[in-house]
Amino acid sequence: MERLQSIGQLEWFRNKILARSKTARTVVYVCITGCRAYGAAAVKEALEEEVKRQGLAGQVEVRGTGCHGFCAKAPVIAIDPLGVQYQEVSPEDAIDIVAETLKNNRLIDRLAYRDPGTLQPVFYLNQIPFYKKQVKRVLTRCGRIDPTQIEHYLAAGGYQAFAKTLSKLTPAEVIAEITASKLRGRGGAGFATGIKWKFTREAAGHPKYIVCNADEGDPGAFMDRAVLEGDPHVVLEGMSIGAYAIGAEVGYIYVREEYPIAIEHLTIALAQSKKLGLLGENILGTGFNFDISLKKGSGAFVCGEETALMASIEGQRGMPRARPPFPAQSGIDQKPTNINNVETWANVSMIITNGAGWYSQVGTANSKGTKIFSLAGKVNNTGLVEVPIGATIKDVVFDIGGGIPMGRAFKAVQMGGPSGGCVPKEYLDMPIDYDTLQRIGAIMGSGGMVVMDENNCMVEIARFFLSFTQSESCGKCAPCRLGTTQLHEILTRITLGRGKLQDLETIRELGQTITEASLCGLGQTCSKPALSTLKYFTKEYEDHILEQRCAGATCDTMVISACQHACPAGIDVPNYVAAIAEGDYEKAVDIIRERNPFPAVCGRICIHPCEFKCRRGELDAPVAIRSLKRFASEWFFKNRGPKRKPYPVTKKEKIAVVGAGPAGLTCAYFLSKMGYQTRVFEAQAIGGGMLGIAVPEFRLPRQVIEDEIEFIKNCGVEISYNSPIDVNHTVNDLLAEGYSAVFIAPGAQASIRTGIPGEDETLVRLYYGLRFLSYVRTGGNIQLTGKVLVIGGGNVAIDAARTALRVGASDVQIFYRRTREEMPAWQKDVEEALEEGIVLNFHWAPKQILQKDRKITGMEFIRSRTVYDDDGRARLSVDEKTIQTVDADAVIIAIGQAPDASFLSRDSQIERSLWGSLEVDKNKLSTNIPGIFSGGDFITGPSTVIQAIASGRRAAIAIDKYLQGDQSRVEIFDEKTETPLAAGLALEDEAAKDQQRVGVDFEHPQDRIKDFREVEKGYAFNEDAAREAKRCLRCDLERERR
Amino acid sequence: MEPPEINWDKMQSIIDQHRGEKWGLIPLLQEIQEEFGYIPPTAIEPVAKALNLFPSQVQGVITFYAGFALKPKGKYVLKVCRGTACHVKGSRSIIRLMQKELNLKEGETSADYQFTLETVACLGACFLAPTMLVNRSYFGKLAPARVTSLLDHYRKSKEDKTK
């Protein structure tokens, strides 16, 4: 390579390179930057050897490149001209790749991306969903060129913009073009680049400096790293153009030392540029002088702040100073200095080559161009993505990112690192832009996007960021130095279970003060993570402080094991699982009954929050806790039966319970265990509440409920059936009869009306879900025929639809006004319904019920979907013009149930809530009348069985306290069972480490709809249950081990 | 065990290369750190003299940046990433495991100068979370079993420090 003396020589050189590379040959691009951590260097070597060995050395080029973007599947290779991408390639695959694909164009299934839905391989890069919505402008050469060879950059058109600048444009014209492009600083602040250049140009002083801020210190961000490693020349060229425009002669790239490969590639690129004469004196004979040197950081996050960075370049401690004066006026050595981020520089050459008009075709009104994001955390497709500014967060996290692993629920995405805020799910549709995100307290930032799911604790995340900013604070200004320490201390206390309610206000005040009073950007933004998590997840903070509950089950001091913590009733899961592993089923059921007297019911229909938090689930699949519970309780009732001796009555008070549902019976059970006499008043002829009248036989056989209620009765609880509490027998009457306390738990049994035209309850074949189910359940005779239409998306709707199939309907379709993800129904039931042939229609809201001669003929629907307003509130948006009319022979309305307090006498003094229920204290479930308590679905609205059970136990504890005159709060914290088992299970059993989740069988869909047989079968054999139980990691023992 | 002896001739030649260099303190310190694994406190005065600075200024820069150490490190410097993405994917338990296995607290070096355990705020390899560096090599998608086998490997290894 000889020094180029003119632009003409540059172009001559470029033509020669192009000619050399025009030999039509196959190129295998192997990422050896990021993927190197996963063994890519060995993959490249193996491919090179195989190519040689199989005689293809002249036709195939194996090229080491920068990042391909799809980091989750490292090591990644691409093959042209086929256009194929292979993923998770190991050196052993080289033989097949060369022999099959390179030699014979045969594609290899096992190395292709697998579509998670269809499970089919997707070979071609442009068809892989990860890439479809991306627009690669800055990263266009990354992954294609060898970053250590300047010839590649030249062949791809590099330095054309620089040549054009030197020969055809004046500095003012360059600045005008950059300004017209509306390019904004990509480091996070988003200042208009062209304007900054103008200021620096106009400032007095010589020499002027150009700086590239490559100190990418945000944890979670690696966009700049990829550009520096994969296409360093685009940065050098941008800086050179900037230097020309501003009139600078000296350039620095300040790169953090933690990026050794970037330093290596930059060093090579600079040497090659200098050798060719693209940097240095009299560049290309134009008289323009500009040189760039590398400055390495030394491990200080604050040096990403421009004034600290400049101090560091000058060899000093990296402490920021006040601005003004801004670097444009007085920077390095007090001379005018222009600092831009790596990605900003990387955008410059394409603007000069293609023009501002072309550049602004992509982006939003105020921010043009694309932005690179590094997608990381709890997301399937981690890696680098480049999208137009204005793409929505949902596009990036779900369409490109592939959503959350293990089917967990999205919780929030952290954008902008420790200077940014979190974006909760209400704002998923928000376009990503500098201005939009600021409105909700977040920032676009430098591009780091860390996704969090339901198993992350937002308080802990805030604490985590504060520990980072506190240790990185330079210490110069008091607000930041002291403020970060204070905030960190408060947040730490909260995560350790020692928080006070007062702390929340302190965090807000302190956060605001630090923001307003800090000297530099680090201090000014450090409270954002705390303030934004506090704003959107206030309840999580409150729960930590008041209830010692951590929503993500991560804060150690309040969580023994995640499963137990996730259970609303706090059952000691690991211990009963260990009991099952040892074959002691009776002990397992005893442990469950310490918190929940309905093990058999829950073993069938609990939605198992425990399994969603199960840490084993992070490895392969969660432990099948629900099925194990079922197995143990089935054994119990088969071998021990419901007989038992009643608990001794040791206290003189009697307590009355209204409603023999799960909440009421649980309350009575625990009161009885504490020594009280209890009587439950049930309006129906049978017990079980919603369990008894609503959950269908094929999900929960009646016998199971009967056994559990029988057991509870045998414990000493008295139940009076056909004994409603109403105007004839009021709550006040109960108190007069000598009951010292009353627990009201009648459930939520009123069906909600749609209020649409045609909703006339006297129409033939118009039903309400709950009534329909209870009628069938209690032996009523309904025969349906033909097409049945069900409206709703909750469990009642699904159950009603499946029941309709079993009582004669030939066809059942459900219409829900939102999406499948928004359906409140248990996903397991939805899947079973789909298997049975039920059709689900989404985005259709009911408009009108059609009838003829008082008989249902069909319904009209309009298109609908959920939209969120600027404050994050959801509402239903409908499109009146899009209508669907369907025929139907029967309609079942199941859009929800509500509590119905009409049974309480009108002169009752109990304080009502706004929505038809009672006002209760959340901690003690007490009403305004001493001695009267209320809980379960009646208070919360339709919820889950386990919530109702937890509510019943809470009420029992509260009533006991009340009767003892104890006014302290009810504290229900995680506790170990009295006789813990120490079995190590999966950690100690080699076989258990790799054991896949043991499945259960289901009745065949086409058979099971003929009658009401139970759909899901339990484990048939002790060995199956034992194998599954041994998969448990005994997270609860970690404490003792430590 | 004692830390390796300092080759003062080498030290002197490094200092001489940067003598009088404008803004040369940090590049000089970086070279010393790279060559010897730390900055011997006895080097502070010669460095200050060579750059016409006060020793307190040199000390001030050394203690400001996390990349400079005044105490020698082990043969294998283990840097576990505690960045956001790694944290979200469970780096805490990896750190705890390593502390237990090595019997070292964060920032400590083992008595035999084999291992130094450190945490870093972010390695930029977030897609591989949780990650760690052993000297210059990256290890990603760490799980407890992998960590213990890695540590075993390095305990038995007689490899060159730069690998």
Side-chain angles (χ1 to χ4, degrees), chain A residues 710-761:
Chain A
E710 184 67 22
F711 183 90
I712 292 173
K713 257 182 53 191
N714 291 339
C715 288
V717 170
E718 284 162 15
I719 309 178
S720 304
Y721 294 104
N722 296 309
S723 310
I725 299 300
D726 55 19
V727 287
N728 298 319
H729 189 194
T730 67
V731 173
N732 287 335
D733 290 338
L734 288 171
L735 292 171
E737 285 165 30
Y739 289 102
S740 311
V742 181
F743 179 57
I744 303 174
Q749 308 211 16
S751 294
I752 295 179
R753 304 287 185 265
T754 62
I756 57 175
E759 187 181 20
D760 177 352
E761 292 178 53

Side-chain angles (χ1 to χ4, degrees), chain A residues 977-1011:
Chain A
T977 194
E978 278 114 41
T979 51
L981 287 102
L985 302 179
L987 287 177
E988 283 159 19
D989 184 344
E990 275 303 317
K993 280 193 204 153
D994 297 316
Q995 174 68 50
Q996 297 291 314
R997 174 163 158 144
V998 182
V1000 291
D1001 289 326
F1002 292 81
E1003 292 279 349
H1004 195 274
Q1006 295 317 309
D1007 288 336
R1008 69 195 192 212
I1009 56 173
K1010 294 183 189 145
D1011 51 37

Side-chain angles (χ1 to χ4, degrees), chain A residues 148-299:
Chain A
T148 62
Q149 295 189 53
I150 192 173
E151 290 90 341
H152 284 222
Y153 184 69
L154 289 169
Y159 289 109
Q160 262 173 2
F162 189 37
K164 179 177 173 186
T165 303
L166 291 174
S167 58
K168 296 205 174 46
L169 300 171
T170 65
E173 283 168 337
V174 174
I175 294 180
E177 196 70 24
I178 299 294
T179 311
S181 74
K182 290 203 178 169
L183 171 65
R184 292 168 73 163
R186 294 286 190 260
F191 192 82
T193 307
I195 302 202
K196 189 149 75 167
W197 287 16
K198 185 158 166 300
F199 288 156
T200 319
R201 173 163 191 82
E202 288 167 355
H206 179 82
K208 296 192 180 166
Y209 292 89
I210 289 279
V211 174
C212 172
N213 185 343
D215 191 57
E216 191 173 54
D218 274 359
F222 53 99
M223 309 74 55
D224 293 348
R225 178 175 67 74
V227 174
L228 294 169
E229 291 176 350
D231 192 9
H233 283 283
V234 73
V235 177
L236 303 185
E237 186 176 4
M239 289 174 76
S240 303
I241 295 172
Y244 175 82
I246 290 166
E249 288 190 8
V250 185
Y252 288 111
I253 301 180
Y254 187 89
V255 59
R256 61 193 302 239
E257 60 154 8
E258 291 93 335
Y259 281 176
I261 302 179
I263 293 174
E264 186 191 323
H265 289 191
L266 275 171
T267 309
I268 295 173
L270 284 170
Q272 290 180 345
S273 278
K274 285 194 232 253
K275 189 135 188 267
L276 273 184
L278 290 166
L279 283 173
E281 307 218 334
N282 192 16
I283 297 177
L284 297 178
T286 60
F288 174 57
N289 305 328
F290 178 58
D291 204 354
I292 301 176
S293 19
L294 215 51
K295 284 280 185 183
K296 295 198 296 197
S298 278

Side-chain angles (χ1 to χ4, degrees), chain A residues 948-1000:
Chain A
I949 291 169
S951 176
R953 180 161 178 270
R954 177 177 288 269
I957 296 174
I959 290 172
D960 177 49
K961 275 188 188 274
Y962 162 73
L963 293 173
Q964 310 272 11
D966 179 351
Q967 298 199 339
S968 64
R969 289 174 61 81
V970 171
E971 290 183 342
I972 302 184
F973 304 151
D974 287 2
E975 276 164 359
K976 298 245 23 101
T977 194
E978 278 114 41
T979 51
L981 287 102
L985 302 179
L987 287 177
E988 283 159 19
D989 184 344
E990 275 303 317
K993 280 193 204 153
D994 297 316
Q995 174 68 50
Q996 297 291 314
R997 174 163 158 144
V998 182
V1000 291

